[in-house]
Amino acid sequence: MEILHPSFSPELAAPTRLEDLVAKEPFLQKAWDVAETAHAGQTRKDGKTPYFTHCIGVARIMYEEWGITDPEKLSVGLLHDTIEDTDLTLDNIRTVFGEEVAFGVESVTQFSPENEAKLIKAEADFESAKKVFAKTLIDPIVAIYKLADRLYNMRDMAAITPQKRTENGITSLNYFAPLAESLGMWVVKRELENLSLQYTDSKKFEIYSGLMEKDPRTNEHFIAYMTSFLTEKLKDEGTECKVSYRKNSLVKIMDKAKNNLFKDIDDVISFRVTVSSKDERSIRNECMKALGVIWEEFGGTEDQKRFDNFYFVPRDNGYSAFQVTLNLPEGAIKIAITSKEKEDYNNWGVLSSLKKGKTDLKKYALKLVFTPMGEVKFFPPSANGFDYAYHIDEKLGAQAMEMLVNGQRQDLATIIPNGAVVKILGGEERIAPDAGVVHHVLPKTKQKIDRQFLELEMTEQQKSGREIVTKIISQRGLLNLYDILRLKEYSRIIMDILDQLGSKGSLTRLYQSIGSGVVSEKDLISELDRNGITKEAMGFTSVLIEGPDGPGRLNFFTSTVEKLGGNIRRNYGESAKQIFTQHFVIENLNEGAEKKLGELLKKDPRIAKVIVV
Ligand code: ZN
């Protein structure tokens, strides 16, 4: 199945096979020979395949798929299981291959976030658990070795028991895919997720891989058409580029399908336009030009709300591209435009830096933080309690007050030590945290907080918009626009008014526009007048009454209205916590009758609050 294709990238990969490199590099040849001899006679789980094929496979992923060419690092790939499974000792390896290889093999042998998590679960007492795992940050190169090892095993599960497959799937989803993501190795993350899903939830795997396969956007003719169309159009404009595509992981799509129609998910497939040019400035100009071509060619289908400029302002994880969403008859698709170099980073993160010869990967170092349930989370070393809380859940982040770090109360701004167990203590329900928090957090967290502040501002604008609307419509015998939206002879008219005011189908959007001043009071008044939403034309009276609950309240009201000649068109209300609230829309009450009704209600001792408009 194509979605399970290996994480192979022609641009990143070295041009030769591992065997060719081994033949040229005596150091690597030595590692090969030593590992092969050490594992001699051992087989994989099927009892037939020599164990050493796994070691070759891990080094092959590192070299052929990930483009790592350093013989010492590839030697770690070949030797990684020798201390654990053979008679070789760490000292042997150190003597023959030196410190770097020995460090790599030792670290891979020890690195096991899933075991550490199990330990945390078993040992509620942190003090004893703490002694067991190393307190150093996760070295990115060790994580790379471990991910190659895990990826090989996930692709090679045919011979192992169903129970073990499920276990591997779970640990891959919980630890290794997030680890790959934390290092920016998105291609690896997606493959691990897809491979895991078929063992952790085979039903969902079937459903979603079926949906993916049948979707018109993943049809090979559509992909071929889009690819050649984009390539040709850009070529016509003199832009040199390569067009490729990528499918999102099933896990990610499943997640998005919870809140979206499948056809509206815009990254089921995304087309990637990578522009190459001689210098940064001309690359940027070419990207802008490509963007212009897409806007022009797909004019009517572009989703204005889903344009992202991550080219000039990269995401916190370093992702960098222009992104356009098109609503095509086949469904929504995303087109990303960026430079070849940036795309390499978008796909491979830390590996892309490693390949460029940047050996100092310290900025990618990660710490482990455990949830009280023993789950593992990966963070940059500077992460504090706010970062942790927002990572777990944005709502929790907004409400967080304090945290327990290994059982001790701490301020949320405290940097969490590596390996700590952290529990967030929440406060009252709220949308956004206190102002000022935003200065002490990781960029990723800051983005989330900024969004919450925007939302808070929006709800406040909506509130003030709603007050303005209420004031205007109360002069028209209405307390709420929903009231007449629900009456069949008016619903069409109200929808038209919303359309006219740029608030298509949504009262909330109207409140927002008026609250923020995009639509003026005058605009609303003249639209209402023009459409006959006036007291004179409709002849409505609206009433709100509130008071302590008791028998006969509603009957008393209805009979009073009828006696005055009125006809109740709509009523709704509730009696909660012994308070009775009712809301009515009445027609046919003349001015005198309306006044009379108000007086009667105000005199009634059972009613605490009356509004008549
Ligand atoms: Zn292994």
Side-chain angles (χ1 to χ4, degrees):
M1 198 175 302
E2 211 209 334
I3 40 169
L4 297 179
H5 63 79
S7 52
F8 183 75
S9 155
E11 294 101 273
L12 190 73
T16 60
R17 279 171 60 79
L18 177 68
E19 284 78 353
D20 301 332
L21 185 72
V22 172
K24 276 193 299 191
E25 290 280 353
F27 188 90
L28 205 49
Q29 183 69 59
K30 178 100 188 159
W32 180 294
D33 296 340
V34 168
E36 188 171 28
T37 312
H39 287 291
Q42 296 176 349
T43 58
R44 295 284 282 168
K45 284 272 157 36
D46 64 0
K48 298 192 294 276
T49 317
Y51 191 87
F52 187 54
T53 55
H54 163 71
C55 314
I56 301 173
V58 170
R60 193 188 300 290
I61 289 174
M62 289 168 61
Y63 177 65
E64 294 179 16
E65 297 182 22
W66 296 356
I68 296 171
T69 53
D70 175 13
E72 290 191 312
K73 294 190 174 63
L74 295 173
S75 296
V76 175
L78 291 168
L79 292 159
H80 77 273
D81 280 331
T82 51
I83 330 182
E84 197 168 12
D85 299 338
T86 77
D87 296 335
L88 276 190
T89 64
L90 195 58
D91 282 337
N92 296 148
I93 290 176
R94 191 176 289 115
T95 315
V96 182
F97 299 101
E99 196 50 58
E100 189 188 331
V101 176
F103 165 77
V105 174
E106 186 186 20
S107 308
V108 176
T109 310
Q110 287 171 350
F111 183 86
S112 180
E114 72 271 37
N115 285 348
E116 290 170 6
K118 265 186 224 147
L119 206 86
I120 282 284
K121 243 178 240 178
E123 302 266 358
D125 170 18
F126 180 76
E127 279 310 310
S128 48
K130 196 164 68 172
K131 292 186 193 111
V132 183
F133 41 89
K135 288 280 89 54
T136 51
L137 295 175
I138 298 172
D139 185 326
I141 191 67
V142 175
I144 289 171
Y145 297 142
K146 198 70 193 179
L147 284 167
D149 185 30
R150 170 58 55 142
L151 190 57
Y152 182 92
N153 285 337
M154 288 301 291
R155 288 176 187 171
D156 182 42
M157 299 230 280
I160 68 172
T161 63
Q163 196 202 334
K164 186 76 190 148
R165 282 183 208 172
T166 310
E167 276 174 30
N168 283 349
I170 292 171
T171 51
S172 291
L173 273 184
N174 289 346
Y175 308 115
F176 293 99
L179 181 62
E181 179 180 343
S182 301
L183 294 168
M185 295 165 65
W186 291 91
V187 179
V188 178
K189 171 192 147 59
R190 283 194 291 269
E191 188 182 350
L192 282 175
E193 285 182 343
N194 282 347
L195 287 166
S196 302
L197 189 63
Q198 58 182 323
Y199 305 115
T200 54
D201 196 337
S202 56
K203 223 185 211 159
K204 286 232 169 85
F205 177 80
E206 293 295 329
I207 294 172
Y208 281 92
S209 41
L211 275 173
M212 278 290 264
E213 245 167 294
K214 274 184 295 191
D215 195 276
R217 288 166 290 182
T218 61
N219 177 290
E220 54 178 323
H221 299 301
F222 175 72
I223 293 174
Y225 169 77
M226 284 302 293
T227 310
S228 58
F229 183 86
L230 288 167
T231 313
E232 287 309 309
K233 286 289 168 198
L234 291 165
K235 210 159 96 194
D236 288 349
E237 297 293 323
T239 296
E240 203 163 310
C241 68
K242 196 177 145 291
V243 180
S244 58
Y245 68 92
R246 76 175 182 215
K247 295 174 187 172
N248 209 341
S249 94
L250 294 177
V251 172
K252 198 82 213 174
I253 286 172
M254 247 169 62
D255 198 41
K256 291 193 170 186
K258 282 184 205 149
N259 301 315
N260 295 285
L261 292 173
F262 200 75
K263 73 170 185 44
D264 291 338
I265 301 176
D266 67 351
D267 55 1
V268 164
I269 189 165
S270 57
F271 290 90
R272 321 285 314 171
V273 177
T274 47
V275 172
S276 41
S277 199
K278 42 192 188 311
D279 57 81
E280 176 54 34
R281 198 194 164 94
S282 48
I283 288 177
R284 203 182 58 204
N285 291 343
E286 291 299 295
C287 286
M288 302 291 284
K289 216 162 84 186
L291 196 58
V293 170
I294 289 164
W295 275 336
E296 200 173 289
E297 291 297 331
F298 295 96
T301 65
E302 190 214 343
D303 190 331
Q304 311 256 2
K305 280 190 248 80
R306 291 202 274 184
F307 169 67
D308 291 308
N309 176 0
F310 297 128
Y311 191 92
F312 293 123
V313 191
R315 278 195 165 143
D316 65 286
N317 59 25
Y319 178 89
S320 168
F322 291 109
Q323 296 195 147
V324 181
T325 293
L326 304 177
N327 291 316
L328 301 180
E330 289 82 4
I333 60 158
K334 193 176 268 175
I335 301 180
I337 306 160
T338 191
S339 72
K340 195 162 161 288
E341 203 180 35
K342 288 189 195 307
E343 182 69 352
D344 199 39
Y345 187 84
N346 291 344
N347 283 326
W348 299 98
V350 62
L351 276 178
S352 143
S353 304
L354 186 66
K355 204 188 62 157
K356 275 193 223 127
K358 289 181 192 151
T359 45
D360 185 19
L361 302 177
K362 281 210 183 65
K363 68 167 179 161
Y364 295 98
L366 296 168
K367 67 183 171 193
L368 288 175
V369 180
F370 296 93
T371 69
M373 304 299 291
E375 289 167 275
V376 177
K377 306 286 171 189
F378 302 98
F379 288 95
S382 67
N384 64 23
F386 291 112
D387 298 306
Y388 174 85
Y390 273 89
H391 178 83
I392 303 282
D393 181 69
E394 291 183 21
K395 227 169 149 187
L396 181 66
Q399 294 170 14
M401 298 306 289
E402 255 185 325
M403 62 177 165
L404 295 178
V405 177
N406 304 331
Q408 304 278 319
R409 268 176 197 270
Q410 297 272 354
D411 189 278
L412 289 163
T414 311
I415 290 175
I416 300 172
N418 187 30
V421 181
V422 176
K423 183 179 163 66
I424 296 293
L425 305 175
E428 65 201 28
E429 186 96 11
R430 57 182 183 176
I431 296 173
D434 294 333
V437 164
V438 86
H439 304 302
H440 310 291
V441 295
L442 296 171
K444 182 181 189 167
T445 313
K446 183 174 181 301
Q447 278 179 359
K448 292 177 182 169
I449 294 176
D450 286 345
R451 254 201 327 267
Q452 289 182 333
F453 279 128
L454 193 69
E455 196 186 319
L456 186 69
E457 202 179 298
M458 274 180 57
T459 47
E460 257 152 32
Q461 285 175 348
Q462 279 168 16
K463 251 201 267 165
S464 82
R466 199 187 162 126
E467 275 164 26
I468 295 170
V469 172
T470 307
K471 188 189 77 195
I472 292 171
I473 60 173
S474 67
Q475 287 148 16
R476 290 150 203 264
L478 298 169
L479 284 168
N480 194 327
L481 273 182
Y482 273 112
D483 285 339
I484 48 167
L485 190 62
R486 292 277 177 269
L487 298 178
K488 62 177 187 305
E489 70 268 39
Y490 289 104
S491 60
R492 183 68 255 159
I493 298 173
I494 298 298
M495 290 309 256
D496 285 346
I497 293 175
L498 289 173
D499 256 17
Q500 282 301 318
L501 297 173
S503 307
K504 208 168 175 54
S506 161
L507 285 176
T508 317
R509 230 171 282 160
L510 177 70
Y511 299 148
Q512 173 75 43
S513 309
I514 290 191
S516 65
V518 173
V519 171
S520 71
E521 291 184 38
K522 238 174 76 198
D523 294 339
L524 176 62
I525 290 171
S526 73
E527 271 308 305
L528 293 172
D529 286 347
R530 202 168 64 80
N531 287 283
I533 307 298
T534 60
K535 180 124 183 140
E536 298 71 38
M538 299 186 298
F540 286 139
T541 302
S542 293
V543 177
L544 174 86
I545 50 177
E546 210 177 272
D549 203 5
R553 300 286 193 274
L554 194 57
N555 280 346
F556 161 76
F557 183 84
T558 8
S559 61
T560 311
V561 169
E562 273 163 16
K563 271 182 223 151
L564 290 166
N567 171 27
I568 297 174
R569 282 297 304 275
R570 177 170 159 74
N571 97 51
Y572 59 88
E574 56 185 53
S575 79
K577 292 184 186 155
Q578 286 131 35
I579 300 286
F580 161 91
T581 310
Q582 282 285 333
H583 184 137
F584 303 87
V585 180
I586 307 159
E587 63 186 0
N588 256 349
L589 282 185
N590 62 34
E591 214 175 305
E594 189 179 291
K595 212 171 148 208
K596 186 89 203 274
L597 178 65
E599 284 164 9
L600 280 172
L601 292 172
K602 273 173 199 152
K603 264 195 275 176
D604 194 309
R606 293 169 301 182
I607 297 171
K609 181 180 171 189
V610 183
I611 301 176
V612 179
V613 298

